[in-house]
Amino acid sequence: MHTLKKYFSQFVRLGNRQYIQGSTLIDGCLDAVENWHLGKIRTMKCEFRALLNEQGVYHLLDSPSKEFAKSFSAMFVVLTDKGLYQIGLNGNSDGNAPQEEYDEEGLVNAAILDRFQKTISIFWCESQSYSRVVVALFKKMLNIMYADDNYSKWIFFQSDTDYVSLSTIESGKLEITLKAYIANQSAKGQISIDGKWIGTIFFTRTLK
């Protein structure tokens, strides 16, 4: 069990964040897969275990055990047309991540929330970062429907994405449906575009 290849990130901190947002980590993994010539992505599962506030290093892993995988701040399981790959991500203390202006509220300002159906939707097109839009959209829904000063802010920590389906869509109505809300601390959303299932997203928060 060892690292087959490494890819050094070019992260930026979005807005006034002191950490690297999960959507940036996903986009970085997409860059790593392309750089390593692993093939066309079919699906990706990701899990974030710790916040990063610096540049990162993606590790293409050789059949890691569960215990070995726990040593990474984030893990990605990527299925391509060439095979199944596991990728770990840790911080690189030698690399600072610069700030980038980012209007997250503006990105989803036109979103429509349906409290009764527990959905939030917005028009999306392929020129936009899918990951950024989805994270901002679900966060907006949770902040409106489940605001509570006794808890920390909502944090994106897991997602599953069908990139085959996503690649066939140029634009459409992107909708997230709340499928689970557990103990005021975790939430699961189901993502679709024009009714086609694209994936799931999970957020969490803790008591202050």
mmCIF file of all heavy atoms in Angstrom, residues 141-190:
data_model
loop_
_atom_site.group_PDB
_atom_site.id
_atom_site.type_symbol
_atom_site.label_atom_id
_atom_site.label_comp_id
_atom_site.label_asym_id
_atom_site.label_seq_id
_atom_site.Cartn_x
_atom_site.Cartn_y
_atom_site.Cartn_z
ATOM 1 N N MET A 141 -30.345 26.470 1.272
ATOM 2 C CA MET A 141 -31.558 25.801 1.729
ATOM 3 C C MET A 141 -31.509 25.515 3.229
ATOM 4 O O MET A 141 -32.449 25.820 3.976
ATOM 5 C CB MET A 141 -31.745 24.495 0.956
ATOM 6 C CG MET A 141 -32.970 23.695 1.356
ATOM 7 S SD MET A 141 -32.978 22.084 0.516
ATOM 8 C CE MET A 141 -34.711 21.643 0.654
ATOM 9 N N LEU A 142 -30.393 24.962 3.677
ATOM 10 C CA LEU A 142 -30.259 24.591 5.084
ATOM 11 C C LEU A 142 -30.216 25.819 5.981
ATOM 12 O O LEU A 142 -30.792 25.813 7.079
ATOM 13 C CB LEU A 142 -29.006 23.737 5.277
ATOM 14 C CG LEU A 142 -29.022 22.376 4.575
ATOM 15 C CD1 LEU A 142 -27.670 21.680 4.752
ATOM 16 C CD2 LEU A 142 -30.148 21.491 5.090
ATOM 17 N N ASN A 143 -29.553 26.879 5.533
ATOM 18 C CA ASN A 143 -29.470 28.095 6.339
ATOM 19 C C ASN A 143 -30.829 28.757 6.515
ATOM 20 O O ASN A 143 -31.109 29.363 7.558
ATOM 21 C CB ASN A 143 -28.486 29.084 5.710
ATOM 22 C CG ASN A 143 -27.047 28.713 5.961
ATOM 23 O OD1 ASN A 143 -26.737 27.986 6.906
ATOM 24 N ND2 ASN A 143 -26.149 29.215 5.124
ATOM 25 N N ILE A 144 -31.680 28.639 5.499
ATOM 26 C CA ILE A 144 -33.014 29.237 5.595
ATOM 27 C C ILE A 144 -33.952 28.364 6.416
ATOM 28 O O ILE A 144 -34.663 28.848 7.309
ATOM 29 C CB ILE A 144 -33.604 29.461 4.186
ATOM 30 C CG1 ILE A 144 -32.800 30.519 3.434
ATOM 31 C CG2 ILE A 144 -35.073 29.884 4.280
ATOM 32 C CD1 ILE A 144 -33.221 30.704 1.983
ATOM 33 N N MET A 145 -33.954 27.076 6.149
ATOM 34 C CA MET A 145 -34.927 26.187 6.776
ATOM 35 C C MET A 145 -34.534 25.733 8.185
ATOM 36 O O MET A 145 -35.405 25.442 9.007
ATOM 37 C CB MET A 145 -35.140 24.954 5.888
ATOM 38 C CG MET A 145 -35.803 25.266 4.565
ATOM 39 S SD MET A 145 -36.113 23.783 3.555
ATOM 40 C CE MET A 145 -37.249 22.860 4.606
ATOM 41 N N TYR A 146 -33.234 25.693 8.455
ATOM 42 C CA TYR A 146 -32.809 25.132 9.742
ATOM 43 C C TYR A 146 -31.774 26.014 10.435
ATOM 44 O O TYR A 146 -30.821 25.512 11.023
ATOM 45 C CB TYR A 146 -32.243 23.723 9.535
ATOM 46 C CG TYR A 146 -33.244 22.777 8.915
ATOM 47 C CD1 TYR A 146 -33.111 22.370 7.581
ATOM 48 C CD2 TYR A 146 -34.334 22.308 9.638
ATOM 49 C CE1 TYR A 146 -34.039 21.511 7.001
ATOM 50 C CE2 TYR A 146 -35.257 21.457 9.061
ATOM 51 C CZ TYR A 146 -35.107 21.062 7.748
ATOM 52 O OH TYR A 146 -36.030 20.222 7.177
ATOM 53 N N ALA A 147 -31.987 27.304 10.406
ATOM 54 C CA ALA A 147 -31.093 28.220 11.116
ATOM 55 C C ALA A 147 -31.223 27.987 12.622
ATOM 56 O O ALA A 147 -32.328 27.852 13.150
ATOM 57 C CB ALA A 147 -31.457 29.663 10.778
ATOM 58 N N ASP A 148 -30.105 27.931 13.324
ATOM 59 C CA ASP A 148 -30.119 27.693 14.768
ATOM 60 C C ASP A 148 -28.797 28.190 15.340
ATOM 61 O O ASP A 148 -27.738 27.651 15.050
ATOM 62 C CB ASP A 148 -30.296 26.202 15.066
ATOM 63 C CG ASP A 148 -30.616 25.923 16.526
ATOM 64 O OD1 ASP A 148 -30.130 26.675 17.393
ATOM 65 O OD2 ASP A 148 -31.348 24.956 16.812
ATOM 66 N N ASP A 149 -28.871 29.218 16.191
ATOM 67 C CA ASP A 149 -27.666 29.823 16.751
ATOM 68 C C ASP A 149 -26.934 28.902 17.716
ATOM 69 O O ASP A 149 -25.803 29.209 18.133
ATOM 70 C CB ASP A 149 -28.014 31.134 17.468
ATOM 71 C CG ASP A 149 -28.456 32.220 16.500
ATOM 72 O OD1 ASP A 149 -28.088 32.130 15.309
ATOM 73 O OD2 ASP A 149 -29.169 33.139 16.924
ATOM 74 N N ASN A 150 -27.560 27.799 18.100
ATOM 75 C CA ASN A 150 -26.910 26.865 19.017
ATOM 76 C C ASN A 150 -25.915 25.945 18.303
ATOM 77 O O ASN A 150 -25.200 25.182 18.967
ATOM 78 C CB ASN A 150 -27.954 25.995 19.727
ATOM 79 C CG ASN A 150 -28.849 26.804 20.648
ATOM 80 O OD1 ASN A 150 -28.364 27.644 21.411
ATOM 81 N ND2 ASN A 150 -30.153 26.581 20.557
ATOM 82 N N TYR A 151 -25.899 26.021 16.970
ATOM 83 C CA TYR A 151 -25.044 25.137 16.189
ATOM 84 C C TYR A 151 -24.031 25.935 15.369
ATOM 85 O O TYR A 151 -24.235 27.114 15.073
ATOM 86 C CB TYR A 151 -25.879 24.279 15.239
ATOM 87 C CG TYR A 151 -26.722 23.239 15.939
ATOM 88 C CD1 TYR A 151 -27.991 23.551 16.416
ATOM 89 C CD2 TYR A 151 -26.244 21.950 16.134
ATOM 90 C CE1 TYR A 151 -28.766 22.597 17.072
ATOM 91 C CE2 TYR A 151 -27.013 20.984 16.776
ATOM 92 C CZ TYR A 151 -28.267 21.320 17.244
ATOM 93 O OH TYR A 151 -29.028 20.375 17.898
ATOM 94 N N SER A 152 -22.959 25.261 14.998
ATOM 95 C CA SER A 152 -21.970 25.862 14.103
ATOM 96 C C SER A 152 -22.561 25.982 12.706
ATOM 97 O O SER A 152 -23.676 25.513 12.449
ATOM 98 C CB SER A 152 -20.718 24.981 14.063
ATOM 99 O OG SER A 152 -21.029 23.709 13.480
ATOM 100 N N LYS A 153 -21.817 26.567 11.787
ATOM 101 C CA LYS A 153 -22.339 26.677 10.429
ATOM 102 C C LYS A 153 -22.295 25.319 9.732
ATOM 103 O O LYS A 153 -21.552 24.409 10.112
ATOM 104 C CB LYS A 153 -21.544 27.710 9.638
ATOM 105 C CG LYS A 153 -20.104 27.343 9.367
ATOM 106 C CD LYS A 153 -19.455 28.452 8.550
ATOM 107 C CE LYS A 153 -18.026 28.097 8.192
ATOM 108 N NZ LYS A 153 -17.406 29.152 7.351
ATOM 109 N N TRP A 154 -23.108 25.186 8.702
ATOM 110 C CA TRP A 154 -23.166 23.949 7.940
ATOM 111 C C TRP A 154 -21.880 23.750 7.137
ATOM 112 O O TRP A 154 -21.374 24.676 6.518
ATOM 113 C CB TRP A 154 -24.361 23.959 6.988
ATOM 114 C CG TRP A 154 -25.683 23.804 7.673
ATOM 115 C CD1 TRP A 154 -26.590 24.789 7.952
ATOM 116 C CD2 TRP A 154 -26.259 22.579 8.153
ATOM 117 N NE1 TRP A 154 -27.686 24.253 8.585
ATOM 118 C CE2 TRP A 154 -27.520 22.901 8.719
ATOM 119 C CE3 TRP A 154 -25.837 21.253 8.165
ATOM 120 C CZ2 TRP A 154 -28.347 21.940 9.288
ATOM 121 C CZ3 TRP A 154 -26.655 20.286 8.727
ATOM 122 C CH2 TRP A 154 -27.908 20.631 9.281
ATOM 123 N N ILE A 155 -21.363 22.499 7.132
ATOM 124 C CA ILE A 155 -20.142 22.155 6.421
ATOM 125 C C ILE A 155 -20.425 20.998 5.458
ATOM 126 O O ILE A 155 -21.002 19.982 5.837
ATOM 127 C CB ILE A 155 -19.015 21.748 7.393
ATOM 128 C CG1 ILE A 155 -18.642 22.923 8.305
ATOM 129 C CG2 ILE A 155 -17.787 21.255 6.630
ATOM 130 C CD1 ILE A 155 -17.984 24.081 7.590
ATOM 131 N N PHE A 156 -19.999 21.158 4.232
ATOM 132 C CA PHE A 156 -20.095 20.107 3.207
ATOM 133 C C PHE A 156 -19.072 19.028 3.521
ATOM 134 O O PHE A 156 -17.882 19.316 3.666
ATOM 135 C CB PHE A 156 -19.836 20.748 1.846
ATOM 136 C CG PHE A 156 -19.621 19.801 0.707
ATOM 137 C CD1 PHE A 156 -20.412 18.676 0.540
ATOM 138 C CD2 PHE A 156 -18.627 20.047 -0.226
ATOM 139 C CE1 PHE A 156 -20.211 17.805 -0.527
ATOM 140 C CE2 PHE A 156 -18.417 19.200 -1.302
ATOM 141 C CZ PHE A 156 -19.212 18.070 -1.444
ATOM 142 N N PHE A 157 -19.515 17.749 3.626
ATOM 143 C CA PHE A 157 -18.543 16.721 3.979
ATOM 144 C C PHE A 157 -18.585 15.460 3.118
ATOM 145 O O PHE A 157 -17.682 14.619 3.214
ATOM 146 C CB PHE A 157 -18.686 16.321 5.464
ATOM 147 C CG PHE A 157 -19.778 15.332 5.768
ATOM 148 C CD1 PHE A 157 -19.500 13.978 5.873
ATOM 149 C CD2 PHE A 157 -21.084 15.758 5.952
ATOM 150 C CE1 PHE A 157 -20.501 13.067 6.166
ATOM 151 C CE2 PHE A 157 -22.083 14.861 6.246
ATOM 152 C CZ PHE A 157 -21.798 13.502 6.353
ATOM 153 N N GLN A 158 -19.574 15.314 2.239
ATOM 154 C CA GLN A 158 -19.606 14.094 1.427
ATOM 155 C C GLN A 158 -20.488 14.299 0.199
ATOM 156 O O GLN A 158 -21.466 15.051 0.242
ATOM 157 C CB GLN A 158 -20.155 12.929 2.260
ATOM 158 C CG GLN A 158 -20.063 11.563 1.613
ATOM 159 C CD GLN A 158 -20.502 10.455 2.572
ATOM 160 O OE1 GLN A 158 -20.275 10.544 3.770
ATOM 161 N NE2 GLN A 158 -21.139 9.435 2.039
ATOM 162 N N SER A 159 -20.145 13.602 -0.895
ATOM 163 C CA SER A 159 -20.998 13.649 -2.086
ATOM 164 C C SER A 159 -20.738 12.452 -2.976
ATOM 165 O O SER A 159 -19.690 11.810 -2.904
ATOM 166 C CB SER A 159 -20.769 14.948 -2.880
ATOM 167 O OG SER A 159 -19.505 14.947 -3.498
ATOM 168 N N ASP A 160 -21.731 12.160 -3.814
ATOM 169 C CA ASP A 160 -21.632 11.148 -4.860
ATOM 170 C C ASP A 160 -22.125 11.810 -6.145
ATOM 171 O O ASP A 160 -23.188 12.443 -6.136
ATOM 172 C CB ASP A 160 -22.512 9.935 -4.556
ATOM 173 C CG ASP A 160 -22.210 9.312 -3.204
ATOM 174 O OD1 ASP A 160 -21.140 8.722 -3.066
ATOM 175 O OD2 ASP A 160 -23.043 9.427 -2.290
ATOM 176 N N THR A 161 -21.386 11.640 -7.232
ATOM 177 C CA THR A 161 -21.760 12.297 -8.478
ATOM 178 C C THR A 161 -21.634 11.341 -9.659
ATOM 179 O O THR A 161 -20.620 10.647 -9.803
ATOM 180 C CB THR A 161 -20.872 13.532 -8.739
ATOM 181 O OG1 THR A 161 -20.929 14.399 -7.609
ATOM 182 C CG2 THR A 161 -21.348 14.281 -9.983
ATOM 183 N N ASP A 162 -22.670 11.338 -10.504
ATOM 184 C CA ASP A 162 -22.673 10.563 -11.747
ATOM 185 C C ASP A 162 -22.246 11.503 -12.871
ATOM 186 O O ASP A 162 -23.054 12.269 -13.402
ATOM 187 C CB ASP A 162 -24.077 10.011 -11.996
ATOM 188 C CG ASP A 162 -24.180 9.210 -13.294
ATOM 189 O OD1 ASP A 162 -23.216 9.220 -14.081
ATOM 190 O OD2 ASP A 162 -25.235 8.594 -13.521
ATOM 191 N N TYR A 163 -20.963 11.446 -13.235
ATOM 192 C CA TYR A 163 -20.440 12.367 -14.243
ATOM 193 C C TYR A 163 -20.837 11.970 -15.658
ATOM 194 O O TYR A 163 -20.777 12.807 -16.563
ATOM 195 C CB TYR A 163 -18.916 12.479 -14.115
ATOM 196 C CG TYR A 163 -18.503 13.385 -12.983
ATOM 197 C CD1 TYR A 163 -18.245 12.871 -11.712
ATOM 198 C CD2 TYR A 163 -18.395 14.752 -13.163
ATOM 199 C CE1 TYR A 163 -17.888 13.705 -10.658
ATOM 200 C CE2 TYR A 163 -18.040 15.596 -12.128
ATOM 201 C CZ TYR A 163 -17.790 15.057 -10.875
ATOM 202 O OH TYR A 163 -17.441 15.891 -9.840
ATOM 203 N N VAL A 164 -21.241 10.725 -15.858
ATOM 204 C CA VAL A 164 -21.743 10.322 -17.170
ATOM 205 C C VAL A 164 -23.037 11.070 -17.479
ATOM 206 O O VAL A 164 -23.206 11.671 -18.548
ATOM 207 C CB VAL A 164 -21.963 8.798 -17.244
ATOM 208 C CG1 VAL A 164 -22.627 8.429 -18.572
ATOM 209 C CG2 VAL A 164 -20.648 8.051 -17.091
ATOM 210 N N SER A 165 -23.957 11.061 -16.514
ATOM 211 C CA SER A 165 -25.219 11.794 -16.697
ATOM 212 C C SER A 165 -24.973 13.292 -16.788
ATOM 213 O O SER A 165 -25.561 13.982 -17.623
ATOM 214 C CB SER A 165 -26.173 11.485 -15.536
ATOM 215 O OG SER A 165 -26.567 10.135 -15.550
ATOM 216 N N LEU A 166 -24.095 13.808 -15.922
ATOM 217 C CA LEU A 166 -23.818 15.241 -15.914
ATOM 218 C C LEU A 166 -23.235 15.700 -17.249
ATOM 219 O O LEU A 166 -23.564 16.790 -17.737
ATOM 220 C CB LEU A 166 -22.858 15.571 -14.771
ATOM 221 C CG LEU A 166 -22.527 17.047 -14.553
ATOM 222 C CD1 LEU A 166 -23.787 17.842 -14.212
ATOM 223 C CD2 LEU A 166 -21.494 17.191 -13.433
ATOM 224 N N SER A 167 -22.408 14.878 -17.865
ATOM 225 C CA SER A 167 -21.741 15.263 -19.110
ATOM 226 C C SER A 167 -22.699 15.383 -20.292
ATOM 227 O O SER A 167 -22.353 15.973 -21.314
ATOM 228 C CB SER A 167 -20.636 14.258 -19.447
ATOM 229 O OG SER A 167 -21.186 12.992 -19.777
ATOM 230 N N THR A 168 -23.896 14.819 -20.166
ATOM 231 C CA THR A 168 -24.866 14.871 -21.256
ATOM 232 C C THR A 168 -25.751 16.114 -21.197
ATOM 233 O O THR A 168 -26.584 16.322 -22.083
ATOM 234 C CB THR A 168 -25.771 13.626 -21.236
ATOM 235 O OG1 THR A 168 -26.590 13.646 -20.049
ATOM 236 C CG2 THR A 168 -24.951 12.348 -21.269
ATOM 237 N N ILE A 169 -25.580 16.932 -20.153
ATOM 238 C CA ILE A 169 -26.471 18.077 -19.937
ATOM 239 C C ILE A 169 -25.707 19.383 -20.113
ATOM 240 O O ILE A 169 -24.708 19.616 -19.435
ATOM 241 C CB ILE A 169 -27.082 18.020 -18.526
ATOM 242 C CG1 ILE A 169 -27.852 16.706 -18.340
ATOM 243 C CG2 ILE A 169 -27.992 19.216 -18.285
ATOM 244 C CD1 ILE A 169 -28.320 16.460 -16.917
ATOM 245 N N GLU A 170 -26.164 20.226 -21.012
ATOM 246 C CA GLU A 170 -25.533 21.526 -21.227
ATOM 247 C C GLU A 170 -26.104 22.574 -20.279
ATOM 248 O O GLU A 170 -25.388 23.472 -19.840
ATOM 249 C CB GLU A 170 -25.728 21.976 -22.674
ATOM 250 C CG GLU A 170 -24.995 21.104 -23.694
ATOM 251 C CD GLU A 170 -25.148 21.624 -25.099
ATOM 252 O OE1 GLU A 170 -25.891 22.628 -25.295
ATOM 253 O OE2 GLU A 170 -24.532 21.048 -26.013
ATOM 254 N N SER A 171 -27.386 22.466 -19.983
ATOM 255 C CA SER A 171 -28.034 23.414 -19.075
ATOM 256 C C SER A 171 -29.380 22.828 -18.656
ATOM 257 O O SER A 171 -29.887 21.891 -19.279
ATOM 258 C CB SER A 171 -28.243 24.779 -19.754
ATOM 259 O OG SER A 171 -29.115 24.637 -20.878
ATOM 260 N N GLY A 172 -29.942 23.394 -17.595
ATOM 261 C CA GLY A 172 -31.247 22.919 -17.151
ATOM 262 C C GLY A 172 -31.544 23.325 -15.720
ATOM 263 O O GLY A 172 -30.763 24.037 -15.077
ATOM 264 N N LYS A 173 -32.678 22.862 -15.240
ATOM 265 C CA LYS A 173 -33.112 23.152 -13.874
ATOM 266 C C LYS A 173 -32.414 22.208 -12.905
ATOM 267 O O LYS A 173 -32.692 21.018 -12.871
ATOM 268 C CB LYS A 173 -34.630 22.993 -13.757
ATOM 269 C CG LYS A 173 -35.176 23.212 -12.358
ATOM 270 C CD LYS A 173 -36.671 22.932 -12.304
ATOM 271 C CE LYS A 173 -37.212 23.050 -10.896
ATOM 272 N NZ LYS A 173 -38.665 22.720 -10.824
ATOM 273 N N LEU A 174 -31.489 22.760 -12.137
ATOM 274 C CA LEU A 174 -30.781 21.981 -11.121
ATOM 275 C C LEU A 174 -31.583 22.063 -9.827
ATOM 276 O O LEU A 174 -31.859 23.159 -9.332
ATOM 277 C CB LEU A 174 -29.371 22.521 -10.924
ATOM 278 C CG LEU A 174 -28.397 21.667 -10.096
ATOM 279 C CD1 LEU A 174 -26.954 22.048 -10.435
ATOM 280 C CD2 LEU A 174 -28.624 21.799 -8.605
ATOM 281 N N GLU A 175 -31.951 20.920 -9.305
ATOM 282 C CA GLU A 175 -32.804 20.876 -8.118
ATOM 283 C C GLU A 175 -32.217 19.945 -7.064
ATOM 284 O O GLU A 175 -31.719 18.864 -7.372
ATOM 285 C CB GLU A 175 -34.211 20.400 -8.493
ATOM 286 C CG GLU A 175 -35.200 20.390 -7.330
ATOM 287 C CD GLU A 175 -36.615 20.089 -7.799
ATOM 288 O OE1 GLU A 175 -36.921 18.890 -8.003
ATOM 289 O OE2 GLU A 175 -37.393 21.042 -7.989
ATOM 290 N N ILE A 176 -32.264 20.390 -5.814
ATOM 291 C CA ILE A 176 -31.854 19.554 -4.683
ATOM 292 C C ILE A 176 -33.064 19.320 -3.798
ATOM 293 O O ILE A 176 -33.737 20.266 -3.393
ATOM 294 C CB ILE A 176 -30.728 20.197 -3.869
ATOM 295 C CG1 ILE A 176 -29.513 20.490 -4.756
ATOM 296 C CG2 ILE A 176 -30.323 19.275 -2.710
ATOM 297 C CD1 ILE A 176 -28.365 21.163 -4.026
ATOM 298 N N THR A 177 -33.333 18.046 -3.516
ATOM 299 C CA THR A 177 -34.439 17.662 -2.648
ATOM 300 C C THR A 177 -33.873 17.146 -1.337
ATOM 301 O O THR A 177 -33.009 16.270 -1.327
ATOM 302 C CB THR A 177 -35.282 16.549 -3.297
ATOM 303 O OG1 THR A 177 -35.763 17.003 -4.567
ATOM 304 C CG2 THR A 177 -36.468 16.181 -2.420
ATOM 305 N N LEU A 178 -34.347 17.695 -0.233
ATOM 306 C CA LEU A 178 -33.906 17.217 1.074
ATOM 307 C C LEU A 178 -34.486 15.835 1.317
ATOM 308 O O LEU A 178 -35.699 15.646 1.362
ATOM 309 C CB LEU A 178 -34.371 18.173 2.172
ATOM 310 C CG LEU A 178 -33.927 17.817 3.594
ATOM 311 C CD1 LEU A 178 -32.419 17.992 3.736
ATOM 312 C CD2 LEU A 178 -34.664 18.678 4.618
ATOM 313 N N LYS A 179 -33.615 14.835 1.485
ATOM 314 C CA LYS A 179 -34.054 13.450 1.660
ATOM 315 C C LYS A 179 -33.923 12.967 3.098
ATOM 316 O O LYS A 179 -34.581 12.000 3.497
ATOM 317 C CB LYS A 179 -33.252 12.523 0.742
ATOM 318 C CG LYS A 179 -33.345 12.876 -0.737
ATOM 319 C CD LYS A 179 -34.767 12.852 -1.248
ATOM 320 C CE LYS A 179 -35.315 11.448 -1.357
ATOM 321 N NZ LYS A 179 -36.658 11.421 -1.998
ATOM 322 N N ALA A 180 -33.062 13.603 3.885
ATOM 323 C CA ALA A 180 -32.902 13.196 5.282
ATOM 324 C C ALA A 180 -32.380 14.375 6.086
ATOM 325 O O ALA A 180 -31.546 15.150 5.611
ATOM 326 C CB ALA A 180 -31.941 12.011 5.392
ATOM 327 N N TYR A 181 -32.903 14.493 7.306
ATOM 328 C CA TYR A 181 -32.458 15.526 8.245
ATOM 329 C C TYR A 181 -32.424 14.876 9.617
ATOM 330 O O TYR A 181 -33.466 14.491 10.158
ATOM 331 C CB TYR A 181 -33.410 16.727 8.215
ATOM 332 C CG TYR A 181 -32.983 17.858 9.114
ATOM 333 C CD1 TYR A 181 -31.873 18.630 8.795
ATOM 334 C CD2 TYR A 181 -33.687 18.153 10.277
ATOM 335 C CE1 TYR A 181 -31.468 19.669 9.607
ATOM 336 C CE2 TYR A 181 -33.292 19.193 11.099
ATOM 337 C CZ TYR A 181 -32.187 19.946 10.764
ATOM 338 O OH TYR A 181 -31.776 20.970 11.574
ATOM 339 N N ILE A 182 -31.221 14.723 10.162
ATOM 340 C CA ILE A 182 -31.050 13.891 11.346
ATOM 341 C C ILE A 182 -30.507 14.698 12.518
ATOM 342 O O ILE A 182 -29.429 15.304 12.429
ATOM 343 C CB ILE A 182 -30.094 12.710 11.052
ATOM 344 C CG1 ILE A 182 -30.633 11.891 9.864
ATOM 345 C CG2 ILE A 182 -29.924 11.824 12.283
ATOM 346 C CD1 ILE A 182 -29.670 10.852 9.359
ATOM 347 N N ALA A 183 -31.252 14.683 13.610
ATOM 348 C CA ALA A 183 -30.816 15.236 14.901
ATOM 349 C C ALA A 183 -30.278 16.665 14.807
ATOM 350 O O ALA A 183 -29.380 17.044 15.569
ATOM 351 C CB ALA A 183 -29.762 14.324 15.522
ATOM 352 N N ASN A 184 -30.823 17.465 13.906
ATOM 353 C CA ASN A 184 -30.411 18.862 13.735
ATOM 354 C C ASN A 184 -28.947 19.028 13.328
ATOM 355 O O ASN A 184 -28.441 20.148 13.309
ATOM 356 C CB ASN A 184 -30.644 19.672 15.017
ATOM 357 C CG ASN A 184 -32.108 19.826 15.344
ATOM 358 O OD1 ASN A 184 -32.936 20.011 14.461
ATOM 359 N ND2 ASN A 184 -32.443 19.732 16.628
ATOM 360 N N GLN A 185 -28.278 17.919 12.979
ATOM 361 C CA GLN A 185 -26.844 18.007 12.745
ATOM 362 C C GLN A 185 -26.367 17.475 11.395
ATOM 363 O O GLN A 185 -25.235 17.735 11.005
ATOM 364 C CB GLN A 185 -26.088 17.285 13.869
ATOM 365 C CG GLN A 185 -26.185 17.985 15.205
ATOM 366 C CD GLN A 185 -25.351 17.293 16.260
ATOM 367 O OE1 GLN A 185 -25.694 16.229 16.750
ATOM 368 N NE2 GLN A 185 -24.239 17.909 16.614
ATOM 369 N N SER A 186 -27.179 16.736 10.693
ATOM 370 C CA SER A 186 -26.752 16.243 9.386
ATOM 371 C C SER A 186 -27.917 16.271 8.410
ATOM 372 O O SER A 186 -29.080 16.106 8.807
ATOM 373 C CB SER A 186 -26.184 14.820 9.486
ATOM 374 O OG SER A 186 -27.159 13.917 9.943
ATOM 375 N N ALA A 187 -27.597 16.485 7.145
ATOM 376 C CA ALA A 187 -28.617 16.599 6.112
ATOM 377 C C ALA A 187 -28.129 15.969 4.819
ATOM 378 O O ALA A 187 -26.955 16.092 4.463
ATOM 379 C CB ALA A 187 -28.984 18.059 5.875
ATOM 380 N N LYS A 188 -29.046 15.298 4.126
ATOM 381 C CA LYS A 188 -28.736 14.668 2.845
ATOM 382 C C LYS A 188 -29.646 15.253 1.774
ATOM 383 O O LYS A 188 -30.857 15.352 1.951
ATOM 384 C CB LYS A 188 -28.957 13.159 2.925
ATOM 385 C CG LYS A 188 -28.837 12.427 1.596
ATOM 386 C CD LYS A 188 -29.193 10.955 1.730
ATOM 387 C CE LYS A 188 -29.140 10.229 0.396
ATOM 388 N NZ LYS A 188 -29.516 8.789 0.524
ATOM 389 N N GLY A 189 -29.045 15.627 0.658
ATOM 390 C CA GLY A 189 -29.812 16.147 -0.460
ATOM 391 C C GLY A 189 -29.627 15.294 -1.702
ATOM 392 O O GLY A 189 -28.537 14.768 -1.952
ATOM 393 N N GLN A 190 -30.693 15.137 -2.468
ATOM 394 C CA GLN A 190 -30.635 14.418 -3.745
ATOM 395 C C GLN A 190 -30.639 15.436 -4.873
ATOM 396 O O GLN A 190 -31.494 16.325 -4.912
ATOM 397 C CB GLN A 190 -31.822 13.481 -3.880
ATOM 398 C CG GLN A 190 -31.868 12.714 -5.199
ATOM 399 C CD GLN A 190 -33.017 11.728 -5.234
ATOM 400 O OE1 GLN A 190 -33.015 10.717 -4.550
ATOM 401 N NE2 GLN A 190 -34.025 12.041 -6.036
#
